[in-house]
Amino acid sequence: MPYIASPQPGAGGGKKKIGIIAGIVAVLAIGAGAAFVLTRDDDKDAVTDETEVSVVDTEPTEDTEPVETAVETTAAETTVAPTTTVAPETTIAATTTTVATIPAGALDLGYGVYIPMPDGWTMTNDPESVLTISDGTTSVAVQVLARTPGENPAVLVQEYIDTFDNDFESVGYSPSVNSERLESEPAVDVYSTFYLTYDAAADFGLAGQVNLYVRGDGLSLLYDVFGPSDQAGSFPTDAADMMRASFQQAQPVDTAVPLVPVAPFRVTSVHPFVQIDGLVGFSAAPGFEVISSGNNRGFVSNGTEDFQADKVIGQPDTNAVVAAAQAVIAQNYTGVANSAVVLDDPDSFGVIHGGFTWTGTYVAGNPSAGGVDFYYDPASTNAYIVYRTWFTGVDGAEPFPAHAKFMLDTVFSSFTTIP
């Protein structure tokens, strides 16, 4: 397939598992179907008290509606395979002998921190692995650790990611962000990282969010809320609030130091990350080779389908973004017919998602088709445009829709506003 040239940008500018760290290796019994990703509002809410993993359909297939629509939650069986144990790099003994009171029915996480067991939830881990509870669809893996005061949170997040990163065919991670400062004593900083896994057996995999709470004395609470990426689920708010309160009230484990918030960062992965610009990009799906990465473009191909994401700047409105995308397609294809453009309402950050499909003939004479998704930020007048292109078969259907959907979702989860 051809390498799609980027439209010329216009003028404009400016953005949008230590005690035990054990990996999650979950096999989810879910059927084939659409992949899902957090909405912008859910992405924002997921770092609040509700800690939701909420999902919507943004299917980029041959139909003409690549838009976010709410889906009905259905039950799915969840099997969590035994996890592995990784020894902590840092262990600091508690400086107090005070024994905390753990409420009846709650699970002791150590250091006086506990997690209530909500109705309908059960413990699913083996005795030597990180504590994990589940309601049959959504799971929460949680642990409390005494770390070095002032440690860079990226160290602990990376150690956790390393425990499961290699267990999947591909995993896409959002940038890790400092989402909140809790002005308790000692103070607490909160960091959140969203991830998606690709699972060929189920077409899709897990959607999860790693939440790291760090106190100035080094006490750290790390919990991961995850479940099938085609369903909505959450950890009950009251249980999450009680767990976090017990963490804040736990006895000091060391001398506290001032916390310095860390700028957004990316974890490293064994799976290829394809940069568009800055922290924004996507994870290559299995079988897709990285052709270009960085400088406002990420491009991958498996020889049958191409996936390209470009950043364009200085676009006055969505009509201009659509025109720029269509002009790019016309550079390599003749007889192009475009479907109607479908636009979503602006998300909680003001970014507008839209898309359309097209058919045409490649300059070498091959019947071709594709789809375009774009994300436009009116505040900065910049956009990301994602192209999927393929030579058509008997029915013209997209040959690798699950792969493309995984990559599109990881683009979507890697930005808020577009700089």
Side-chain angles (χ1 to χ4, degrees):
M1 294 295 291
Y3 187 99
I4 296 181
S6 174
Q8 294 298 312
K15 193 171 188 187
K16 136 178 217 156
K17 280 185 196 185
I18 318 204
I20 297 173
I21 275 200
I24 292 176
V25 184
V27 180
L28 297 169
I30 63 176
F36 302 83
V37 69
L38 292 179
T39 63
R40 290 291 179 215
D41 290 332
D42 289 330
D43 193 25
K44 184 177 181 181
D45 293 345
V47 296
T48 66
D49 291 342
E50 295 188 7
T51 316
E52 292 191 0
V53 177
S54 181
V55 290
V56 296
D57 184 2
T58 58
E59 183 67 29
T61 59
E62 65 277 5
D63 60 44
T64 61
E65 298 186 1
V67 297
E68 300 174 357
T69 56
V71 298
E72 229 176 55
T73 301
T74 56
E77 296 180 2
T78 302
T79 301
V80 180
T83 59
T84 57
T85 301
V86 178
E89 290 191 357
T90 305
T91 301
I92 301 174
T95 58
T96 177
T97 57
T98 300
V99 178
T101 300
I102 307 300
L107 302 176
D108 189 355
L109 299 172
Y111 300 98
V113 187
Y114 61 87
I115 182 171
M117 183 70 81
D119 291 342
W121 289 65
T122 58
M123 191 164 64
T124 58
N125 61 284
D126 64 67
E128 280 132 16
S129 298
V130 64
L131 177 65
T132 305
I133 63 175
S134 176
D135 66 356
T137 300
T138 302
S139 295
V140 178
V142 59
Q143 52 198 300
V144 175
L145 318 159
R147 304 286 289 196
T148 302
E151 177 185 54
N152 188 327
V155 175
L156 183 49
V157 174
Q158 185 66 58
E159 288 181 17
Y160 181 70
I161 295 301
D162 287 344
T163 65
F164 67 87
D165 182 57
N166 200 35
D167 293 329
F168 298 94
E169 289 194 84
S170 189
V171 187
Y173 302 96
S174 74
S176 300
V177 296
N178 179 211
S179 55
E180 192 176 4
R181 163 64 65 86
L182 305 179
E183 296 296 348
S184 53
E185 184 58 45
V188 178
D189 272 344
V190 185
Y191 294 85
S192 300
T193 311
F194 175 67
Y195 65 89
L196 287 165
T197 75
Y198 182 85
D199 184 346
D203 281 336
F204 312 104
L206 300 173
Q209 181 155 321
V210 178
N211 305 280
L212 173 61
Y213 285 67
V214 180
R215 296 197 331 190
D217 65 340
L219 193 65
S220 300
L221 166 66
L222 188 149
Y223 69 102
D224 180 4
V225 183
F226 63 96
S229 63
D230 66 341
Q231 299 183 44
S234 64
F235 183 43
T237 302
D238 55 350
D241 287 345
M242 292 176 68
M243 176 179 65
R244 288 190 285 257
S246 71
F247 171 74
Q248 289 181 265
Q249 297 162 9
Q251 292 293 318
V253 296
D254 207 330
T255 302
V257 301
L259 290 176
V260 179
V262 174
F265 59 90
R266 273 199 169 276
V267 298
T268 60
S269 171
V270 299
H271 309 288
F273 171 69
V274 186
Q275 184 189 45
I276 304 174
D277 76 302
L279 296 177
V280 179
F282 59 95
S283 294
F288 279 75
E289 179 184 355
V290 180
I291 308 300
S292 177
S293 178
N295 296 319
N296 296 329
R297 167 174 295 144
F299 181 79
V300 298
S301 177
N302 65 359
T304 300
E305 181 168 350
D306 295 346
F307 185 97
Q308 178 177 315
D310 291 343
K311 177 182 178 180
V312 294
I313 65 174
Q315 306 297 308
D317 51 33
T318 56
N319 290 331
V321 177
V322 171
Q326 292 175 343
V328 168
I329 296 167
Q331 293 176 11
N332 294 300
Y333 301 89
T334 60
V336 175
N338 299 303
S339 72
V341 176
V342 178
L343 292 177
D344 293 342
D345 292 331
D347 65 21
S348 59
F349 298 98
V351 174
I352 302 169
H353 168 251
F356 62 93
T357 60
W358 59 271
T359 58
T361 302
Y362 182 47
V363 292
N366 302 84
S368 304
V372 172
D373 286 83
F374 60 84
Y375 302 92
Y376 174 67
D377 180 12
S380 67
T381 71
N382 299 330
Y384 294 113
I385 304 177
V386 180
Y387 305 86
R388 302 163 358 258
T389 62
W390 60 90
F391 295 141
T392 56
V394 175
D395 59 1
E398 183 170 11
F400 293 91
H403 296 70
K405 185 63 172 66
F406 169 77
M407 292 187 286
L408 181 61
D409 285 350
T410 59
V411 171
F412 177 75
S413 66
S414 71
F415 65 89
T416 50
T417 55
I418 302 173

